[in-house]
Amino acid sequence: MTHGKLTIEPVRTPQERLAFIHFQWQVYKGDPYWVPPIISERVEFLDRERNPFHMHSEVDLFMARRDGKPVGTIAAILNNRHNDFHGERIGFFGLFEVLQDPEAAQALLDTACDWARERGLTAVRGPTNFSTNEELGLLVDGWDGPPVIMMTYNPRYYADFIESSGFHKAMDLVAYIVDLEQFGPRGVNLPPKLLRVAAKVQERGGFTVRQIDMRHFDQEVDRFKRIYNSAWEKNWGFVPMTDAEIDHMAAGLKQVVDPDITVFAEKDGEPIGAMLPLPDVSQALIHAYPRPGVPEWWTMVKLLWHWKVRRRVDTMRGFAGGVLEGYRGRGVEALLFVRMAQAAIPRYRRSEISWVLENNMMMRRTAEMLGAEVYRTYRIYEKEL
């Protein structure tokens, strides 16, 4: 039973935004699996001048307080790019964090719904932070370890709070885990069919595969953005990223990208496919444990120590990639995967393939052909207004 006066207050000033960010440490205190964010990255994410998402869409932040003390947070989101692309009029909620306070959870979700209703929207969907190109989904199954890079994590009780507020499932996203060590050195034990297809494509010629050229990173980002937006455009919930958004994300990921496993497929010198797996830096970040009151330079020193010196990062995430539509089904995917896997296997023991839409049967069959198993499920909820 909770006591005291509950208020829902808009978050407007830099000091209020910092309190909004810091509240997470209160929710996850003592949770061994929570990976804290780097605070300066979260500050930039919420900054309307520095995060290009705010150039085309609208976000308002709210904090729940009980007797003046923070007990929850939420973001109400109008993603104009989503609505224009899909021909919808829906809102989103994200950055939902709350203590075990059902009244506060209900009030926060009601606030996001009222905000959307005031703008003439017909439904609210979430959680998304802020779009399908970033972190999204509520973890509803698989609390067996820390989340991998750019995947969400939350207490189990969030699902009850969201569902009791009238939200229902819109879509599940699944994460697969695959043991890379089973494929042996240089991938000699990869599925025979996959190896045969890749070998045939190579024999026929016409397609080449190469690693990313970090010396010309900006140009490589331009090549990747064309593939990404084209390859994913028919997926549920997909929103094309603007040039500014892709450039901003790429700048953030540049220090994380492993060039040995990031590959492009080309036809006559033109990129027609790519794979961008990411080292799971969260394995090092959880040991560095950023937190309020600790200088960020010290956090970064610890992060690099656990990542580069202790070499705790032995997992990668199949993060993004695709093949242009005209080249699908011609073995390019197999060629890309074999090349990437052969480079990855000596240093990474496992890979998460995430996230995958529950109805993306082609991707699911590919993952299962590799011996991957679903080990986590994330849910997108929706409520009609």
Side-chain angles (χ1 to χ4, degrees), residues 223-231 264 271-274 322-324:
R223 296 178 184 106
F224 184 82
K225 73 177 68 167
R226 291 195 296 273
I227 295 166
Y228 177 80
N229 279 338
S230 174
F264 283 91
I272 51 94
V323 174
L324 296 182

Side-chain angles (χ1 to χ4, degrees), residues 269-290:
E270 289 296 316
I272 51 94
M275 280 193 177
L276 172 60
L278 294 176
D280 180 23
V281 180
S282 291
Q283 290 182 293
L285 189 59
I286 196 171
H287 293 285
Y289 208 85

Side-chain angles (χ1 to χ4, degrees), residues 210-226:
R210 64 169 179 83
Q211 295 175 354
I212 188 172
D213 183 353
M214 297 298 287
R215 296 169 302 173
H216 300 97
F217 185 74
D218 292 344
Q219 294 94 317
E220 297 285 61
V221 169
D222 288 338
R223 296 178 184 106
F224 184 82
K225 73 177 68 167
R226 291 195 296 273

Side-chain angles (χ1 to χ4, degrees), residues 309-333:
V309 180
R310 295 294 303 277
R311 299 193 179 278
R312 292 185 183 272
V313 178
D314 64 0
T315 299
M316 66 181 197
R317 176 187 169 202
F319 170 63
V323 174
L324 296 182
E325 190 167 10
Y327 296 95
R328 292 176 200 160
R330 297 169 62 179
V332 178
E333 297 90 341

